[in-house]
Amino acid sequence: MAEAVPNFFQRNKRWILPILILGGAVAIFALLIATKPTAPSQPVKERVWTVKVISAEYGSYAPKLSLYGQIEAPSSSTLSAPVTAFVESRNISEGELVETGQLLLKLDNRDANLLLAQRQADMERIEAQIQAEKVRYQSDLKALKIEKELVSITQRTLERYKNLSNRQVASQNQLDDARRTKQQQALSLNSRQQAINDHPNRLAQLEAQLKQTKALRDIAALDLERTRIIAPFPGRIASINVAAGDRVRSGDSLLNIYNTEKLEVRAQIPSRFLPVIRQQLAAKQNIQARAELDGQQMNLTLERLAAAVEGGGIGIDGLFSISNNDYSGEPGRSIALNLRMPEQPQLLALPPQAIFGTDRIYIVQDQRLVSRQIIRVGDSLDQNGKPLVLVQSNDLKAGDQILITQLPNAVTGLLVKIAGQKTSAAATAKAE
C-alpha cells in the first residue's frame, strides 16, 4: 500500500499555528475595546471669582502729585586768590556755617602793601607835576607881558636906528644889531606864547596820567583788601582747597561756598500736568508742595519751570524754593515731595488696587468684567489717611461697579461674583 503525502498545513503547522493564535488574540482585544462602555460626559464649569467693588462717584478733588527731586544750590561761589601770595591762616573748616563778612582765609599781605606804596608814590609824583605845570603857567603869563614890552622897546629902538641911518648918523652895523635884537625878542615872545597855548594839553596829559596811577593805586588797595577772604553771603563751606602755608597764584581756587538761604529743589513734572501748572504760574497763584528730609518738614513753593528738557526726560523740571529759613540741607540729596494741584471737578477717587497697569480699570456688568480706560491725574487721601488715586474717564458713569480686587488674570469677560451677592441662575446657565 502506497504512503500518504502530507498537505501544506501539515508541513508548515509549526509557524502557522502561532500566527493564528496571535491574530485571534488581537481580534478579541479589538472587540473588547470596541464594546467598552463609555461614561457620560460632564459639562465644563467656568470658575467664578469672588471680588469686591465700589460704586463710581464723581466729585471735586485737589490732586496731590508725588514727585522725586534733588536739592540744588544755584547761588554758589568759588572764591579764588586775588594775588600771588602765601596762605597765612585758615579760619574755617569744610561743612561749617558762616555769616556774611566772616573772615574765611587770610593771605600774606606784605607784597600787596609794597605794591600799594609804590602806586601811591606814583600818584603823588604825578600830582606834584600837575602843581608844577600850574605854577609854570602862571609864570609864563607874567613873563608874556614883559616879553611884549621888550618887543615894543626893541621895535622903537629899531625905528630910531632906521632914522639915524637915513640921516647917515648911525652905521649899518648898528642898524643890523637893532634888527637882530628885535627879531630875537620876537622869537622869545613867540616861544612864550606857544608855551602858554600848550598849557591845556600838558595839563590834560598829566591829569590822564594821574587817573591812570589812581586806578592802579585803587587796584593795589583792592588786592590788599582781598587778601582777607570773607564770606560774600550767609552760607556753608562746601570744600576747601588750601591750607596755611600753601602758596597760591592769582586766580587759583581757594574754597567753595553755597548760600543756604537760596537752596532749591529740582523735580521733573510729567507732561500731562504741565498745562494746569502753567495756568497757575501765569495767574500768579502759589503752587505749594511738602516734603520731609531727616525728619524735618519742608514747605516748598514752585517758582518757575526749567527752560530746557533734559535728554530722555518725559516732562519739564520744576524749580521749588525752600520756605524754611532755618533749613541747611546738602545740595545733591534726593528728596520726595507732594505737590498740591488745583481742585478739579469730575474726578473719581479709587483705591490703588483698582488700577491695572497705568491706565485701566474694570467694571462689573452682568457679572462679567469690562475694561475701561482712565487718565491718572494725581493722588489723595481718604478720611482715614489711606491713599487714593484720582482718575478721569469718559467711559464711566456714576453708579458703575468698579472692581477693587487685584486679580492676576483680570480680562474682559471674566465671570465674577460680587462679595455678599449670589451668582444669578442666568449667568450660571450661560457659563455652562
Side-chain angles (χ1 to χ4, degrees), residues 409-425:
N409 56 341
V411 291
T412 297
L414 185 68
L415 181 64
V416 297
K417 179 181 71 172
I418 299 176
Q421 295 183 357
K422 294 183 178 180
T423 305
S424 67

PDB file of all heavy atoms in Angstrom, residues 409-425:
ATOM      1  N   ASN A 409      -5.439  87.561  36.725  1.00  0.00           N
ATOM      2  CA  ASN A 409      -5.863  87.163  35.387  1.00  0.00           C
ATOM      3  C   ASN A 409      -7.055  87.981  34.911  1.00  0.00           C
ATOM      4  O   ASN A 409      -7.902  87.491  34.151  1.00  0.00           O
ATOM      5  CB  ASN A 409      -6.227  85.670  35.378  1.00  0.00           C
ATOM      6  CG  ASN A 409      -7.298  85.339  36.414  1.00  0.00           C
ATOM      7  OD1 ASN A 409      -7.520  86.109  37.348  1.00  0.00           O
ATOM      8  ND2 ASN A 409      -7.962  84.199  36.262  1.00  0.00           N
ATOM      9  N   ALA A 410      -7.164  89.215  35.373  1.00  0.00           N
ATOM     10  CA  ALA A 410      -8.314  90.044  35.014  1.00  0.00           C
ATOM     11  C   ALA A 410      -8.295  90.363  33.528  1.00  0.00           C
ATOM     12  O   ALA A 410      -7.321  90.908  33.003  1.00  0.00           O
ATOM     13  CB  ALA A 410      -8.302  91.330  35.838  1.00  0.00           C
ATOM     14  N   VAL A 411      -9.386  89.988  32.848  1.00  0.00           N
ATOM     15  CA  VAL A 411      -9.569  90.294  31.425  1.00  0.00           C
ATOM     16  C   VAL A 411     -11.049  90.568  31.209  1.00  0.00           C
ATOM     17  O   VAL A 411     -11.906  90.166  32.016  1.00  0.00           O
ATOM     18  CB  VAL A 411      -9.110  89.130  30.516  1.00  0.00           C
ATOM     19  CG1 VAL A 411      -7.614  88.948  30.558  1.00  0.00           C
ATOM     20  CG2 VAL A 411      -9.834  87.836  30.876  1.00  0.00           C
ATOM     21  N   THR A 412     -11.341  91.258  30.137  1.00  0.00           N
ATOM     22  CA  THR A 412     -12.734  91.500  29.795  1.00  0.00           C
ATOM     23  C   THR A 412     -13.453  90.164  29.562  1.00  0.00           C
ATOM     24  O   THR A 412     -12.958  89.299  28.833  1.00  0.00           O
ATOM     25  CB  THR A 412     -12.827  92.380  28.546  1.00  0.00           C
ATOM     26  OG1 THR A 412     -12.244  93.656  28.835  1.00  0.00           O
ATOM     27  CG2 THR A 412     -14.268  92.577  28.112  1.00  0.00           C
ATOM     28  N   GLY A 413     -14.632  90.000  30.181  1.00  0.00           N
ATOM     29  CA  GLY A 413     -15.419  88.772  30.030  1.00  0.00           C
ATOM     30  C   GLY A 413     -15.253  87.791  31.160  1.00  0.00           C
ATOM     31  O   GLY A 413     -15.967  86.770  31.200  1.00  0.00           O
ATOM     32  N   LEU A 414     -14.334  88.015  32.088  1.00  0.00           N
ATOM     33  CA  LEU A 414     -14.119  87.085  33.190  1.00  0.00           C
ATOM     34  C   LEU A 414     -15.345  87.076  34.097  1.00  0.00           C
ATOM     35  O   LEU A 414     -15.868  88.129  34.481  1.00  0.00           O
ATOM     36  CB  LEU A 414     -12.876  87.481  33.986  1.00  0.00           C
ATOM     37  CG  LEU A 414     -12.459  86.531  35.116  1.00  0.00           C
ATOM     38  CD1 LEU A 414     -11.968  85.214  34.535  1.00  0.00           C
ATOM     39  CD2 LEU A 414     -11.362  87.178  35.966  1.00  0.00           C
ATOM     40  N   LEU A 415     -15.837  85.863  34.443  1.00  0.00           N
ATOM     41  CA  LEU A 415     -17.013  85.711  35.302  1.00  0.00           C
ATOM     42  C   LEU A 415     -16.623  85.978  36.752  1.00  0.00           C
ATOM     43  O   LEU A 415     -15.656  85.409  37.251  1.00  0.00           O
ATOM     44  CB  LEU A 415     -17.595  84.302  35.166  1.00  0.00           C
ATOM     45  CG  LEU A 415     -18.849  84.007  36.005  1.00  0.00           C
ATOM     46  CD1 LEU A 415     -20.006  84.886  35.574  1.00  0.00           C
ATOM     47  CD2 LEU A 415     -19.229  82.521  35.879  1.00  0.00           C
ATOM     48  N   VAL A 416     -17.380  86.850  37.406  1.00  0.00           N
ATOM     49  CA  VAL A 416     -17.087  87.205  38.790  1.00  0.00           C
ATOM     50  C   VAL A 416     -18.378  87.212  39.587  1.00  0.00           C
ATOM     51  O   VAL A 416     -19.491  87.257  39.039  1.00  0.00           O
ATOM     52  CB  VAL A 416     -16.396  88.593  38.879  1.00  0.00           C
ATOM     53  CG1 VAL A 416     -15.057  88.581  38.185  1.00  0.00           C
ATOM     54  CG2 VAL A 416     -17.285  89.683  38.298  1.00  0.00           C
ATOM     55  N   LYS A 417     -18.199  87.190  40.891  1.00  0.00           N
ATOM     56  CA  LYS A 417     -19.321  87.308  41.817  1.00  0.00           C
ATOM     57  C   LYS A 417     -18.946  88.349  42.857  1.00  0.00           C
ATOM     58  O   LYS A 417     -17.885  88.271  43.469  1.00  0.00           O
ATOM     59  CB  LYS A 417     -19.610  85.969  42.495  1.00  0.00           C
ATOM     60  CG  LYS A 417     -20.773  86.051  43.494  1.00  0.00           C
ATOM     61  CD  LYS A 417     -21.019  84.717  44.178  1.00  0.00           C
ATOM     62  CE  LYS A 417     -19.902  84.401  45.159  1.00  0.00           C
ATOM     63  NZ  LYS A 417     -20.206  83.207  45.980  1.00  0.00           N
ATOM     64  N   ILE A 418     -19.790  89.335  43.004  1.00  0.00           N
ATOM     65  CA  ILE A 418     -19.533  90.392  43.983  1.00  0.00           C
ATOM     66  C   ILE A 418     -19.714  89.811  45.376  1.00  0.00           C
ATOM     67  O   ILE A 418     -20.706  89.127  45.653  1.00  0.00           O
ATOM     68  CB  ILE A 418     -20.479  91.580  43.750  1.00  0.00           C
ATOM     69  CG1 ILE A 418     -20.249  92.167  42.341  1.00  0.00           C
ATOM     70  CG2 ILE A 418     -20.274  92.652  44.807  1.00  0.00           C
ATOM     71  CD1 ILE A 418     -21.207  93.270  41.983  1.00  0.00           C
ATOM     72  N   ALA A 419     -18.755  90.044  46.231  1.00  0.00           N
ATOM     73  CA  ALA A 419     -18.802  89.512  47.587  1.00  0.00           C
ATOM     74  C   ALA A 419     -20.092  89.944  48.274  1.00  0.00           C
ATOM     75  O   ALA A 419     -20.462  91.123  48.246  1.00  0.00           O
ATOM     76  CB  ALA A 419     -17.596  89.985  48.379  1.00  0.00           C
ATOM     77  N   GLY A 420     -20.805  88.947  48.851  1.00  0.00           N
ATOM     78  CA  GLY A 420     -22.061  89.235  49.530  1.00  0.00           C
ATOM     79  C   GLY A 420     -23.266  89.075  48.639  1.00  0.00           C
ATOM     80  O   GLY A 420     -24.398  89.178  49.105  1.00  0.00           O
ATOM     81  N   GLN A 421     -23.068  88.809  47.342  1.00  0.00           N
ATOM     82  CA  GLN A 421     -24.174  88.591  46.421  1.00  0.00           C
ATOM     83  C   GLN A 421     -24.103  87.172  45.868  1.00  0.00           C
ATOM     84  O   GLN A 421     -23.047  86.554  45.814  1.00  0.00           O
ATOM     85  CB  GLN A 421     -24.128  89.594  45.249  1.00  0.00           C
ATOM     86  CG  GLN A 421     -24.339  91.033  45.664  1.00  0.00           C
ATOM     87  CD  GLN A 421     -24.362  91.956  44.461  1.00  0.00           C
ATOM     88  OE1 GLN A 421     -24.173  91.531  43.333  1.00  0.00           O
ATOM     89  NE2 GLN A 421     -24.600  93.228  44.728  1.00  0.00           N
ATOM     90  N   LYS A 422     -25.266  86.656  45.433  1.00  0.00           N
ATOM     91  CA  LYS A 422     -25.325  85.340  44.828  1.00  0.00           C
ATOM     92  C   LYS A 422     -25.230  85.454  43.317  1.00  0.00           C
ATOM     93  O   LYS A 422     -25.744  86.385  42.718  1.00  0.00           O
ATOM     94  CB  LYS A 422     -26.633  84.632  45.201  1.00  0.00           C
ATOM     95  CG  LYS A 422     -26.758  84.296  46.683  1.00  0.00           C
ATOM     96  CD  LYS A 422     -28.035  83.539  46.947  1.00  0.00           C
ATOM     97  CE  LYS A 422     -28.139  83.146  48.430  1.00  0.00           C
ATOM     98  NZ  LYS A 422     -29.396  82.404  48.709  1.00  0.00           N
ATOM     99  N   THR A 423     -24.563  84.458  42.718  1.00  0.00           N
ATOM    100  CA  THR A 423     -24.462  84.451  41.263  1.00  0.00           C
ATOM    101  C   THR A 423     -25.823  84.124  40.672  1.00  0.00           C
ATOM    102  O   THR A 423     -26.493  83.193  41.102  1.00  0.00           O
ATOM    103  CB  THR A 423     -23.438  83.400  40.796  1.00  0.00           C
ATOM    104  OG1 THR A 423     -22.213  83.656  41.454  1.00  0.00           O
ATOM    105  CG2 THR A 423     -23.247  83.443  39.294  1.00  0.00           C
ATOM    106  N   SER A 424     -26.257  84.881  39.687  1.00  0.00           N
ATOM    107  CA  SER A 424     -27.571  84.686  39.088  1.00  0.00           C
ATOM    108  C   SER A 424     -27.606  83.371  38.336  1.00  0.00           C
ATOM    109  O   SER A 424     -26.608  82.900  37.809  1.00  0.00           O
ATOM    110  CB  SER A 424     -27.907  85.843  38.145  1.00  0.00           C
ATOM    111  OG  SER A 424     -27.035  85.832  37.022  1.00  0.00           O
ATOM    112  N   ALA A 425     -28.832  82.764  38.247  1.00  0.00           N
ATOM    113  CA  ALA A 425     -29.001  81.497  37.555  1.00  0.00           C
ATOM    114  C   ALA A 425     -28.740  81.654  36.080  1.00  0.00           C
ATOM    115  O   ALA A 425     -28.200  80.764  35.426  1.00  0.00           O
ATOM    116  CB  ALA A 425     -30.432  80.967  37.785  1.00  0.00           C
TER     117      ALA A 425
END
